[in-house]
């Protein structure tokens, strides 16, 4: 029996070394005092788009420069040839004519120079971005634990990046810009790209396809979109068609038919159903569409919102941007990793309100899931899975059924100026004498 | 490592692949063209014209080809860098798979997220950004009310307030409003001015001025004491030491209020109120007076080593100030996002494994896999029943047996025979009704 007790005690000791001791609640830098087996760079996946976007933009920048150059080259060579041919013909044109077309060619070449210079500027900007980002990520690669003092600074910058990204995606351009400026992270975020996107998206929401169509057909975007099987351009042309039919005047209707012949007809095989429906639409003026749900849907204003969403999705895919804000991802995974069953229980609620009144010592490091900022948000995620207990190693039970670490109780008793041999409940403030404490064994 | 390689590749790319390198060749063509033009203009002769133009064909063609070749170099560089990038990003074994983009429970709660961001910005002291954000995240309202709200929000810079403001107790930010109303409530001055006060006191602390913090602690001493905080005494003690060190260290004017005499005077004025609680420390401080001439060799040197003291006291001030506001010291958004970054690889690993098996990635309540977070991110006691291996919840709370071992209530019911049980961890037996529910 005595032996058994001994082994039992030893077991407890053995186990105690495995149970993590919660930090003394004095640490201000909550997030930076961990000892973590994983190195911080195993969490880099979410930062890959950071490096990819400048490269995608560089490629895009190059392709549009190349596209323009090819076009101009063809034009210059042909014009020059034509001018030369005319000059050697039997009836040479007057010098003024030759000079005129030479001037045109020179102007064209100046245009080439201007466009190339603009592309080169953009290229420099993107190089700057990529360099800053590679350096930024190199910092985290250089850290081996999340203990590193630099980790907090880095992680804060990461949060700022995520916030700017979120704001840009939500269309809060001013906030995004001022946050990026305040934190000096302009090279780490893509304000310009997102602003262009927001502009086009908003024009779609306001019922205009012009800007989106211009984006679709600019440079070689058209080719890229075809490569990724995007139906954005078709949907835009389709909307244009619907808008031509909508007024239902003879002039507009014939315009609509011409538009369909030119822009919708080529899609008759890939988008057969839509194209057929487009023909049918001619027979259904808007005021009679109510009885034909399929046509009513075509006239519906909600289509604009859907188009805006389609554009954003296409735009993000083209630049290999994640389709949802990284902040959402981080919150989803972070909140559920932090969440415990206690966070939304009655006890949690009690704790939260108690802290609001600030009349208890409570746990100085407040759980983010229990915080007012995030509590409601965390309701939508599941709580973390644990296979081992995480409790203080020196748990004792108070007569009121609450258990605390002995060390912490003593510490609080000292701070609260209690008599020797007394302890005070950290949450309820009840005072008990030491003899009434009972050791708790957590297996 | 991977990043160093990438950095080198990027340098190479920047050195070689420059679109601006092609500009020289474009200039050459323009020169050719302008030369030809002046030639044609000067001669004004059909023969010369046709000759010039014919001679112009090939050089221009070649020039344009050269420009295109310059562009090819850029393209090649980009392709090469693209490969290096892909390689760098896929070397880590953990980073395979794509981000879980099709599951986004956060998307349904934009207002909650906006509220959290607004509070984060305020508590970080980013008042300008916060007010821009609140204005933009606000649903559209009549122009007048926006400008009205804007006018209330004069951005307060923490450093602009240098004199200690009259301390006032921060009002706990309590609210039963809907999140959207709350977002506009954040616009109101209460929270912002509270944080402005906090940052003004913190910036004073940075300048080694303790008085604003001491005044604040004094006027909130009742609440601080209830929290078991010694902040006020810690601040006063530091002020004593700071004065004690004298003008050569603290840079304050050499007056009777400074130096040892000043410290003594300060102690007499201020330490009385702490006597019953901190008598020992006060004694130590006064005894140190005796050793003033050779403090570094005295037993009191550790007390007077204040290299970190100002930072520590600033940290505990921040913590106390926030908790009196009913907030945690560290931004929950920051902690959650950092935890998220740490937990994400596991989430992705899990998703890659269940992909295609048509399984939901979580049960409704509990995650399906364990995420290891740093200890500092464990905020609640977590009790996993050693019998059922399940976490205890409000419905299935932990119970303590008279022998001191703890189980989940359901486990106890399962292992008990009628009203009796045998403890699975020691030879004790007992009655189920003696097991008491505990709160960990």
């Amino acid at each position: 029996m005595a032996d058994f007790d001994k082994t039992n005690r030893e077991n407890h000791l053995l186990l105690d070394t495995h149970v993590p001791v919660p930090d003394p609640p004095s640490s201000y830098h909550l997030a930076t005092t961990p000892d973590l087996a994983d190195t911080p760079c195993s969490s880099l996946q979410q930062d890959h788009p950071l490096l990819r976007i400048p490269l995608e933009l560089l490629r895009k920048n190059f392709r549009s420069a190349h596209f323009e150059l090819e076009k101009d080259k063809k034009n210059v060579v042909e014009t020059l040839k034509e001018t030369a041919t005319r000059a050697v013909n039997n009836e040479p044109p007057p010098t003024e004519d030759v000079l005129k077309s030479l001037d045109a060619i020179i102007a064209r070449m100046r245009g080439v120079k201007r466009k190339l210079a603009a592309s080169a500027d953009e290229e420099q900007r993107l190089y700057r971005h990529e360099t800053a980002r590679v350096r930024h990520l190199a910092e985290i690669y250089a850290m081996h634990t999340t203990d590193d003092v630099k980790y907090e600074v880095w992680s804060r910058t990461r949060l700022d990046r995520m916030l700017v990204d979120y704001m840009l995606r939500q269309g809060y351009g001013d906030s995004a810009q001022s946050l990026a400026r305040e934190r000096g992270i302009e090279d780490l975020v893509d304000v310009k790209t997102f602003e262009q996107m927001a502009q086009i998206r908003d024009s779609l929401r306001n019922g205009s396809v012009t800007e989106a169509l211009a984006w679709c057909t600019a440079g070689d975007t058209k080719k890229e979109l075809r490569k990724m099987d995007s139906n954005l351009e078709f949907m835009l042309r389709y909307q244009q068609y619907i808008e031509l039919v909508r007024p239902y005047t003879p002039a507009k209707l014939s315009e609509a038919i011409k538009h369909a012949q030119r822009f919708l007809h080529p899609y008759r095989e890939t988008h057969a159903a839509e194209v057929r429906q487009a023909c049918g639409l001619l027979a259904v003026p808007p005021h009679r569409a109510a009885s034909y749900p399929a046509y009513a849907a075509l006239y519906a204003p909600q289509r604009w919102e859907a188009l805006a969403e389609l554009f954003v999705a296409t735009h993000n895919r083209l630049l290999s941007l994640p389709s949802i804000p990284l902040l959402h991802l981080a919150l989803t995974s972070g909140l559920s990793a932090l969440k415990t069953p206690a966070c939304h229980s009655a006890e949690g609620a009690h704790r939260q309100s108690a802290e609001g009144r600030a009349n208890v010592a409570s746990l100085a490091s407040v759980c983010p899931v229990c915080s007012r900022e995030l509590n409601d948000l965390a309701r939508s995620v599941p709580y973390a899975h644990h296979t081992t207990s995480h409790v203080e190693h020196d748990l004792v039970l108070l007569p009121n059924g609450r258990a605390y670490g002995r060390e912490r109780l003593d510490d609080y008793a000292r701070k609260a100026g209690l008599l020797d041999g007394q302890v005070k409940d950290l949450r309820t403030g009840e005072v008990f004498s030491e003899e009434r404490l009972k050791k708790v064994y957590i297996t | 490592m991977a990043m160093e390689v990438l950095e080198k590749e990027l340098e190479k790319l920047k050195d070689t692949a420059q679109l601006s390198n092609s500009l020289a060749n474009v200039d050459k063509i323009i020169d050719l063209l302008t030369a030809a033009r002046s030639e044609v203009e000067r001669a004004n002769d059909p023969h010369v014209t046709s000759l010039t133009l014919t001679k112009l064909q090939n050089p221009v063609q070649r020039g344009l080809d050269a420009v295109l070749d310059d562009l090819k170099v850029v393209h090649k560089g980009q392709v090469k860098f693209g490969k290096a990038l892909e390689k760098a990003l896929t070397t880590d074994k953990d980073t395979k798979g794509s981000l879980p983009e099709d599951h986004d429970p956060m998307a349904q709660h934009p207002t909650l997220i906006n509220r959290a961001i607004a509070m984060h910005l305020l508590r970080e002291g980013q008042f300008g950004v916060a007010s821009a954000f609140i204005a933009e995240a606000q649903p559209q309202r009549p122009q007048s009310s926006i400008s009205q709200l804007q006018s209330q929000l004069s951005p307060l810079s923490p450093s602009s307030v240098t004199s200690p403001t009259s301390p006032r107790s921060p009002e706990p930010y309590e609210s039963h409003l809907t999140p959207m109303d709350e977002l506009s409530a954040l616009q109101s001055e209460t929270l912002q001015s509270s944080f402005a006060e906090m940052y003004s006191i913190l910036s004073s602390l940075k300048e080694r001025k303790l008085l604003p913090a001491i005044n604040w602690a004094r006027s909130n001493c009742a609440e601080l004491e209830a929290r078991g905080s010694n902040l006020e005494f810690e601040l006063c003690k530091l002020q004593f030491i700071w004065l004690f060190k004298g003008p050569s260290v603290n840079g304050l004017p050499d007056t009777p209020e400074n130096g040892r005499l000043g410290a003594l005077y300060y102690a007499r004025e201020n330490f009385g109120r702490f006597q019953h609680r901190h008598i020992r420390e006060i004694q130590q401080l006064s005894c140190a007076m005796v050793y003033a001439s050779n403090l570094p060799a005295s037993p009191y040197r550790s007390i007077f080593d204040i290299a970190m003291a100002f930072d520590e006291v600033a940290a505990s001030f921040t913590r106390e100030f926030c908790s009196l506001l009913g907030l945690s010291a560290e931004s929950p958004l920051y902690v959650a996002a950092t935890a998220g970054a740490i937990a994400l690889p596991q989430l992705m690993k899990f998703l890659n494994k269940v992909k295609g098996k048509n399984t939901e990635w979580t049960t409704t309540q509990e995650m399906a896999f364990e995420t290891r977070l740093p200890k500092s991110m464990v905020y609640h006691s977590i009790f996993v029943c050693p019998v059922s291996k399940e976490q205890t919840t409000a419905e299935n709370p932990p119970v303590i047996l008279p022998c001191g071992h703890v189980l989940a209530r359901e486990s106890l019911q399962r292992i008990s025979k009628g009203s009796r049980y045998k403890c699975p961890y020691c030879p004790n037996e007992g009655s189920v009704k003696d097991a008491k529910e505990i709160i960990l």
Side-chain angles (χ1 to χ4, degrees):
Chain A
M1 185 64 202
D3 266 345
F4 182 86
D5 268 347
K6 195 169 157 241
T7 37
N8 206 18
R9 210 168 304 124
E10 271 165 9
N11 275 344
H12 280 302
L13 289 174
L14 204 67
L15 280 168
D16 283 346
T17 58
H18 288 282
V19 176
V21 188
D23 272 2
S26 61
S27 156
Y28 164 55
H29 304 286
L30 298 176
T32 58
T33 41
D35 53 51
L36 186 66
D38 301 85
T39 55
C41 26
S42 66
S43 49
L44 273 183
Q45 175 78 40
Q46 54 172 336
D47 294 321
H48 288 181
L50 188 70
L51 292 184
R52 287 213 172 97
I53 296 161
L55 182 62
E56 286 300 333
L57 291 173
L58 273 172
R59 284 183 182 141
K60 197 167 183 285
N61 183 51
F62 170 81
R63 283 193 305 255
S64 78
H66 190 256
F67 181 84
E68 290 293 321
L69 182 66
E70 288 275 16
K71 215 168 70 185
D72 288 324
K73 181 191 164 192
K74 199 169 158 226
N75 180 288
V76 166
V77 170
E78 268 169 19
T79 324
L80 198 60
K81 203 168 176 184
E82 198 187 314
T83 319
T85 325
R86 268 191 291 137
V88 294
N89 269 354
N90 300 339
E91 240 179 284
T95 310
E96 296 90 79
D97 281 11
V98 174
L99 286 179
K100 220 190 234 166
S101 57
L102 271 177
D103 281 340
I105 294 170
I106 292 171
R108 189 120 196 160
M109 278 315 292
R110 293 230 162 89
V112 168
K113 191 180 167 185
R114 207 176 43 243
K115 280 185 269 185
L116 268 176
S119 296
D121 285 349
E122 174 75 356
E123 189 182 59
Q124 288 310 313
R125 187 180 74 90
L126 293 169
Y127 279 160
R128 210 178 61 232
H129 279 202
E130 187 73 355
T131 315
R133 290 164 192 215
V134 171
R135 280 196 196 131
H136 174 64
L137 288 189
E139 280 175 31
I140 186 101
Y141 268 81
M143 294 176 212
H144 298 296
T145 65
T146 42
D147 272 334
D148 205 311
V149 278
K150 284 178 279 179
Y151 184 73
E152 188 193 350
V153 181
W154 196 88
S155 189
R156 271 187 195 283
T157 309
R158 171 171 57 199
L159 176 61
D160 288 330
R161 274 197 281 123
M162 285 195 242
L163 288 178
V164 174
D165 172 75
Y166 173 84
M167 289 169 181
L168 287 170
R169 283 165 187 265
Q170 298 290 319
Y172 309 151
D174 292 346
S175 324
Q177 261 182 0
S178 61
L179 183 60
R181 207 171 35 239
E182 293 259 331
R183 297 295 211 196
I185 52 167
E186 280 124 321
D187 286 348
L188 301 180
V189 292
D190 302 280
V191 175
K192 199 175 149 195
T193 310
F194 274 103
E195 269 185 348
Q196 284 163 349
M197 182 197 86
Q199 236 167 15
I200 300 175
R201 180 189 60 195
D202 292 345
S203 71
L204 280 174
R205 283 185 178 152
N206 291 330
S208 159
V209 291
T210 330
E211 295 80 1
L213 266 179
W215 178 82
C216 275
T217 46
D220 67 337
T221 312
K222 200 175 178 138
K223 210 167 78 194
E224 292 297 310
L225 288 179
R226 205 178 304 135
K227 246 192 247 168
M228 51 185 249
D229 258 343
S230 159
N231 64 344
L232 179 61
E233 193 186 341
F234 173 74
M235 293 311 278
L236 292 172
R237 298 284 185 202
Y238 201 63
Q239 191 65 39
Q240 265 184 322
Y241 171 78
I242 295 169
E243 294 311 313
L244 286 171
V245 178
R246 196 187 297 273
Y248 223 70
T249 58
K252 285 283 175 191
L253 280 178
S254 74
E255 208 182 307
I257 293 168
K258 274 189 207 123
H259 177 88
Q261 280 166 345
R262 190 164 161 214
F263 295 113
L264 300 187
H265 189 67
Y267 292 96
R268 67 193 174 282
E269 274 165 16
T270 46
H271 296 82
E274 285 97 332
V275 175
R276 264 201 307 277
Q277 217 182 15
C279 306
L281 192 68
L282 286 174
V284 187
H287 64 269
R288 292 219 332 256
S291 33
Y292 310 96
Y295 292 109
L298 289 183
Y299 284 123
Q302 287 89 323
R303 275 183 74 89
W304 287 107
E305 187 56 40
L307 274 179
E309 274 169 33
L310 178 67
F311 163 73
V312 170
T314 312
H315 175 270
N316 290 350
R317 200 146 61 92
L318 191 71
L319 293 178
S320 51
L321 283 163
S323 62
I324 61 172
L326 285 176
L327 185 70
H328 283 189
L329 271 179
L331 283 179
T332 308
S333 100
L335 287 176
S336 56
L338 290 166
K339 189 169 157 180
T340 67
C343 293
H344 287 118
S345 67
E347 174 71 9
H350 162 77
R351 203 173 295 171
Q352 195 190 349
S353 66
E355 261 149 21
R357 291 196 303 277
N359 58 3
V360 261
S362 68
L363 320 147
S365 47
V366 183
C367 164
V369 179
C370 293
S371 74
R372 196 173 5 238
E373 283 104 315
L374 298 176
N375 192 264
D376 289 338
L377 198 57
R379 278 180 205 283
S380 51
V381 302
Y383 58 79
H385 178 78
H386 289 277
T387 50
T388 48
S389 296
H390 296 270
V391 291
E392 283 153 285
H393 65 290
D394 52 352
L395 276 185
V396 290
L397 184 67
L398 303 185
N400 63 2
R402 291 168 186 269
Y404 299 98
R406 183 64 204 255
E407 209 176 298
R408 208 145 57 99
L409 277 177
D410 289 344
D411 193 44
Y412 185 49
R414 208 167 37 247
K415 278 187 177 171
L418 294 185
L419 298 171
D420 273 353
Q422 282 190 325
V423 294
K424 193 172 181 179
D425 188 309
L426 282 90
R427 287 179 201 130
T428 64
E430 292 165 85
V431 177
F432 301 101
S433 79
E434 258 179 350
E435 298 88 69
R436 303 183 63 198
L437 301 183
K438 191 169 156 30
K439 177 93 178 106
V440 178
Y441 296 104
I442 301 291
T443 26
Chain B
M1 192 62 213
M3 284 301 129
E4 284 164 34
V5 176
L6 200 59
E7 224 172 331
K8 271 184 209 135
E9 285 293 330
L10 183 60
E11 284 308 314
K12 260 190 244 165
L13 176 68
K14 282 195 287 186
D15 282 348
T16 53
Q18 295 265 11
L19 283 175
S20 52
N21 288 348
S22 63
L23 291 176
N25 279 324
V26 177
D27 277 333
K28 269 186 216 154
I29 302 172
I30 295 177
D31 290 346
L32 276 175
L33 288 167
T34 34
R37 187 197 183 281
S38 43
E39 178 74 12
V40 169
E41 192 176 30
R42 193 186 49 78
N44 195 8
D45 170 62
H47 183 66
V48 178
T49 304
S50 77
L51 193 69
T52 320
L53 284 178
T54 317
K55 270 190 356 209
L56 195 59
Q57 301 287 319
N58 282 335
V60 168
Q61 173 89 39
R62 269 202 306 278
L64 284 165
D65 285 341
V67 177
L68 275 172
D69 284 344
D70 292 334
L71 257 61
K72 253 182 223 156
V73 175
V74 176
H75 181 64
K76 251 165 83 183
Q78 285 183 2
V79 169
K80 202 165 161 237
F81 181 73
K83 277 182 193 154
L85 180 66
E86 285 312 309
K87 208 176 148 209
L89 297 189
T90 45
T91 41
D92 304 309
K93 55 177 174 8
D94 286 324
T95 55
K96 282 198 192 97
S98 51
L99 294 167
E101 289 172 31
D102 38 5
H103 178 87
D104 186 12
M106 294 296 130
Q108 288 131 35
H109 306 287
T111 44
L112 288 176
I113 293 179
N114 286 345
R115 185 184 61 168
I117 293 177
M119 287 187 75
H120 169 80
L121 292 171
L122 284 176
R123 67 153 63 229
E124 295 279 294
Q126 299 274 351
F127 301 127
V129 182
S131 85
F133 179 76
I134 292 169
E136 277 185 314
Q138 206 78 241
Q140 295 306 310
R141 350 165 130 230
Q143 200 58 43
S144 61
S145 80
I146 281 193
S147 54
Q148 192 192 335
L149 283 168
Q150 289 281 14
S151 65
Q152 294 174 359
L153 267 174
S154 52
L156 283 164
S157 119
S159 52
S160 70
V161 199
T162 42
S163 62
T165 47
S166 65
R168 95 196 95 92
S169 157
E171 287 161 38
Y173 165 71
E174 207 74 51
S175 159
H176 305 286
L177 304 166
T178 66
M180 213 56 239
D181 289 335
E182 230 179 307
L183 192 58
S184 19
L186 289 179
Q187 190 90 303
S188 79
E189 288 167 39
T190 334
L191 198 58
Q192 178 168 339
S193 61
S194 296
F195 278 114
E197 186 188 352
M198 185 179 95
Y199 280 100
S200 120
I201 296 176
L202 278 176
S203 72
S204 304
L205 278 179
K206 214 170 249 162
E207 297 163 22
R208 307 287 192 246
K209 284 188 205 143
L210 289 155
L211 285 179
I214 293 174
N215 286 338
W216 179 84
R218 193 152 296 168
S219 59
N220 291 291
C221 63
E223 289 94 332
L224 289 173
E225 199 171 324
R227 278 181 49 77
S229 159
N230 292 339
L231 182 65
E232 191 190 347
F233 179 67
E234 291 299 322
L235 287 165
C236 288
K237 187 177 141 189
L238 186 57
Q239 174 73 5
F240 172 85
I241 297 170
W242 190 237
L243 289 174
F244 186 96
K245 297 238 167 195
S248 62
V249 176
N250 63 24
L252 296 171
D254 192 2
T255 57
E257 283 93 62
N258 199 358
R260 249 173 286 164
L261 209 62
L264 199 64
Y265 177 72
Y266 185 82
R268 241 182 253 142
E269 286 287 289
N270 293 281
F271 282 177
R273 50 196 273 115
F274 303 113
Q275 230 161 21
H276 71 285
R277 180 94 65 88
H278 299 289
I279 186 71
R280 217 181 110 70
E281 282 164 287
I282 295 172
Q283 277 165 354
Q284 283 180 336
L285 290 175
S286 10
C287 287
M289 284 281 183
V290 182
Y291 287 91
S293 53
N294 62 339
L295 258 187
S298 78
Y300 299 106
R301 63 174 182 281
S302 63
I303 303 176
F304 282 81
D305 178 12
I306 52 166
M308 300 297 293
F310 278 93
D311 288 346
E312 278 164 15
V313 99
S316 58
F317 165 75
T318 310
R319 192 171 59 241
E320 300 303 337
F321 193 99
C322 288
S323 48
L324 257 51
L325 284 173
L327 301 170
S328 55
E330 187 52 279
S331 161
L333 194 67
Y334 167 74
V335 180
T338 306
I342 295 172
L344 197 58
Q346 260 126 327
L347 177 60
M348 283 170 36
K349 217 186 254 176
F350 173 76
L351 288 177
N352 283 341
K353 286 208 176 119
V354 300
K355 203 187 256 170
K357 287 185 192 155
N358 221 359
T359 4
E360 265 298 304
W361 70 283
T362 58
T363 62
T364 42
Q365 281 213 304
E366 190 173 356
M367 298 283 279
F369 57 93
E370 185 164 17
T371 314
R372 294 177 51 230
L373 287 183
K375 279 175 203 160
S376 60
M377 288 192 182
V378 179
Y379 294 90
H380 295 279
S381 299
I382 291 158
F383 180 67
V384 178
C385 172
V387 174
S388 65
K389 304 288 177 208
E390 280 171 0
Q391 279 179 77
T392 50
T393 59
E395 293 75 42
N396 180 22
V399 292
I400 185 165
L401 306 176
C403 55
H405 288 108
V406 185
L407 302 179
R409 183 178 286 290
E410 283 174 10
S411 305
L412 179 65
Q413 280 157 3
R414 221 170 295 142
I415 63 166
S416 62
K417 297 196 175 82
S419 63
R420 303 285 296 171
Y421 73 88
K422 144 101 185 47
C423 175
Y425 298 96
C426 71
N428 274 329
E429 291 182 29
S431 164
V432 172
K433 66 177 186 337
D434 291 334
K436 262 177 58 185
E437 191 175 310
I438 65 170
I439 301 167
L440 286 166

